[in-house]
Amino acid sequence: MSAATKGLVLVLALGLSAASGAQARDAKGEAKLAKLLEGRTVRAGLPCLEVRKIITTEIITGTAIVYRLRGSPTLYVNRPTAGLEDLNSNNALMLNQAVTLCEGNNLPTADNGGRGAGPGYNGGVRLGEFVPYVKDN
């Protein structure tokens, strides 16, 4: 086997390894989201949420953002249409001075600071629609 062929085989093997690692992360994120949504029924999606009503935001790495609103047991799931590789539970979503979050908005992501380091922008996501999941009775 020539050196060029060995190099190509190595590159392909590394690519397959990275792809299988991404699939494993995706499966882990989907499983976590499914567990969070157990006992809930999906409703028609909404284009926007008012920021002032959001009380918690949970980022499920590589999968979705789950919002909880004040006074509501409903969970709102947003699956970004771009930037999933930047969607990480160790990152913060930067809202700046947004009054509403809407489908199609671009939100920068930033390192949440960790140990002594200040936050720094490291990517971003484009929001999809906000899909409500209502608790079954």
Side-chain angles (χ1 to χ4, degrees):
M1 190 179 301
S2 73
T5 304
K6 286 180 184 178
L8 180 59
V9 169
L10 179 60
V11 168
L12 290 173
L14 289 174
L16 290 175
S17 174
S20 64
Q23 288 172 342
R25 279 192 310 275
D26 291 348
K28 186 177 178 181
E30 290 296 338
K32 183 174 181 178
L33 182 60
K35 184 173 181 169
L36 191 63
L37 299 176
E38 278 179 9
R40 295 179 179 271
T41 302
V42 66
R43 300 284 190 228
L46 304 172
C48 299
L49 291 180
E50 289 183 62
V51 171
R52 66 182 178 87
K53 292 183 178 181
I54 298 171
I55 57 171
T56 64
T57 302
E58 182 175 351
I59 296 174
I60 299 175
T61 301
T63 306
I65 308 163
V66 180
Y67 296 95
R68 288 179 177 84
L69 304 184
R70 184 179 315 114
S72 174
T74 301
L75 298 179
Y76 294 84
V77 176
N78 190 289
R79 290 180 178 266
T81 58
L84 279 176
E85 65 280 357
D86 295 327
L87 192 60
N88 185 311
S89 59
N90 293 322
N91 287 341
L93 295 170
M94 308 305 288
L95 301 181
N96 297 325
Q97 295 184 9
V99 174
T100 58
L101 291 179
C102 293
E103 182 176 358
N105 286 160
N106 293 310
L107 296 181
T109 58
D111 184 338
N112 65 12
R115 296 184 176 182
Y121 293 106
N122 60 11
V125 296
R126 180 174 302 124
L127 296 176
E129 73 176 337
F130 296 86
V131 179
Y133 285 82
V134 179
K135 197 163 193 106
D136 296 337
N137 293 329

